[in-house]
Amino acid sequence: MTAAAGSAGAPQELDLDAQIAAYQREFPEVDPQVEKVVTALGRLNRRMNVAYGRQLVDLGISSAEWEVLKALVVVGRPYRLGPGDLAKRLGLTPAAMTHRIDRLVTEGLVTRERDEANRVRVIVELTDEGREKWLQTMRLAAAFEDELLQDLNTSERAALGEILIRLLRRVEDSQPDAGGRLEDLD
């Protein structure tokens, strides 16, 4: 069996065909086509997360901070949510959300102010600096994604997108809690 190339001392991963052959040896009932798709998706996801993580480090923010910026942008102008709403959207505890907001406030990427209409309520709002950080991140991600898909023509990209959406819907339908934190796996 051959191993994928890696840097000295780094763990080496079997190439895809070798891994599937090992699965078939140990579990003959395994469908090699299914395993090829699932294993390739898993590896692609892992490598994409590493690439995105490196981009975030280059921009000076963490993945956790990026998730908050993204959640605020997605709600639209004026890019405001309460901490509880943010925590729910990100599948976090209120305490974990507070720590993220604290870091983002310190970095000037969000503000945290009392709601003038309801002094008990706190509002987290994206700053201009936070929006610019989000845009920088999106530009880097878009360049990476264009490079990733460069070998696919428009119709292949559309077909791949539709297939992946179908797979995603199947998982969402069969495991509706799979999108949030899986506390039982911690």
Side-chain angles (χ1 to χ4, degrees):
M1 287 182 219
T2 60
S7 56
Q12 293 191 348
E13 192 172 56
L14 289 176
D15 73 24
L16 202 56
D17 291 330
Q19 182 172 335
I20 293 166
Y23 287 170
Q24 286 181 294
R25 181 190 70 230
E26 299 298 324
F27 182 56
E29 299 88 350
V30 74
D31 182 333
Q33 289 178 320
V34 170
E35 285 307 311
K36 183 173 255 182
V37 169
V38 171
T39 304
L41 284 172
R43 288 182 181 192
L44 179 60
N45 180 57
R46 194 168 59 248
R47 284 166 175 77
M48 289 175 67
N49 284 334
V50 168
Y52 291 137
R54 288 178 179 151
Q55 291 176 344
L56 292 173
V57 166
D58 289 346
L59 292 173
I61 63 170
S62 70
S63 178
E65 293 165 334
W66 159 249
E67 291 296 328
V68 175
L69 298 180
K70 181 172 67 171
L72 290 168
V73 168
V74 167
V75 298
R77 291 188 189 278
Y79 311 122
R80 304 172 66 177
L81 283 173
D85 293 332
L86 276 169
K88 285 178 190 169
R89 287 170 187 259
L90 299 178
L92 298 173
T93 64
M97 191 73 251
T98 298
H99 292 298
R100 288 187 187 187
I101 293 168
D102 288 346
R103 288 192 309 265
L104 290 165
V105 167
T106 299
E107 295 169 15
L109 302 177
V110 301
T111 59
R112 177 177 35 209
E113 305 289 335
R114 292 268 173 224
D115 185 346
E116 292 302 318
N118 178 354
R119 299 293 295 160
V120 175
R121 182 179 152 100
V122 172
I123 297 292
V124 178
E125 185 171 345
L126 191 67
T127 64
D128 290 342
E129 292 170 39
R131 177 145 166 66
E132 182 55 35
K133 186 69 75 170
W134 179 81
L135 284 169
Q136 290 172 339
T137 306
M138 290 300 293
R139 287 182 194 111
L140 288 176
F144 168 72
E145 292 156 1
D146 282 343
E147 183 180 331
L148 174 69
L149 298 176
Q150 70 183 339
D151 296 330
L152 302 180
N153 64 37
T154 303
S155 62
E156 290 171 324
R157 289 179 184 198
L160 177 60
E162 289 302 315
I163 290 167
L164 292 173
I165 293 295
R166 283 182 15 218
L167 296 175
L168 179 60
R169 285 188 182 133
R170 165 115 18 217
V171 171
E172 289 173 343
D173 289 346
S174 67
Q175 299 188 31
D177 64 341
R181 283 185 59 114
L182 299 177
E183 310 223 350
D184 56 329
L185 298 179
D186 288 341

